[in-house]
Amino acid sequence: QVRLVESGGGLVQPGGSLRLSCRASGFGFDYFPLAWFRQAPGKEREAVSCIRNNNGATYYADSVKGRFTISRDRATNTVYLEMNNLRPEDTSVYYCATDFEPRTCSGGLTSASAYDYWGRGTQVTVSS
């Protein structure tokens, strides 16, 4: 059974950093892209970043470019999202996701509707 479990969220001051983790199991981690999304109250689910399985290419939303970094560790089946210089507007529940369609996260971000498997999310709150 596909399982994605996020961790690492919490409360951080503006300008601070957090590192989110998503541990994956139940599927071929090496063969599928992984992504991070976020959703704040009253907002639509937003694609933050994704990473390809085949070439390791990464893509980011304009709002987080230069501040967030996605990476994957094949030895532990874990995808990370390092978040630096956090802003109050980054406050959201963050979700990781994967999809078995090869075109997903190909050449750019793919919308949430394309992803079939999701974690339950981890809360990130940026506030002074």
Side-chain angles (χ1 to χ4, degrees):
Q1 182 177 357
V2 174
R3 187 170 181 239
L4 301 168
V5 181
E6 303 96 336
S7 62
L11 175 65
V12 64
Q13 293 184 336
S17 299
L18 284 174
R19 190 191 193 199
L20 305 182
S21 299
C22 176
R23 186 172 60 187
S25 62
F27 66 98
F29 181 83
D30 294 347
Y31 297 97
F32 304 102
L34 290 126
W36 286 97
F37 288 79
R38 65 187 182 186
Q39 188 166 22
K43 302 287 188 178
E44 294 186 3
R45 189 163 297 191
E46 174 190 16
V48 176
S49 182
C50 66
I51 184 167
R52 286 289 298 178
N53 54 285
N54 55 348
N55 59 7
T58 59
Y59 304 96
Y60 298 91
D62 288 342
S63 59
V64 306
K65 283 182 179 178
R67 300 190 297 121
F68 291 11
T69 303
I70 190 171
S71 62
R72 65 195 299 164
D73 185 345
R74 299 182 185 276
T76 59
N77 288 355
T78 303
V79 61
Y80 300 97
L81 185 69
E82 183 179 355
M83 305 184 295
N84 299 310
N85 193 23
L86 285 161
R87 305 165 180 170
E89 52 264 42
D90 294 319
T91 296
S92 286
V93 177
Y94 283 73
Y95 302 89
C96 68
T98 193
D99 185 61
F100 296 163
E101 166 56 56
R103 292 174 295 179
T104 301
C105 189
S106 179
L109 296 173
T110 305
S111 64
S113 62
Y115 287 85
D116 294 319
Y117 302 98
W118 296 84
R120 296 179 66 182
T122 184
Q123 176 71 47
V124 173
T125 302
V126 185
S127 177
S128 59

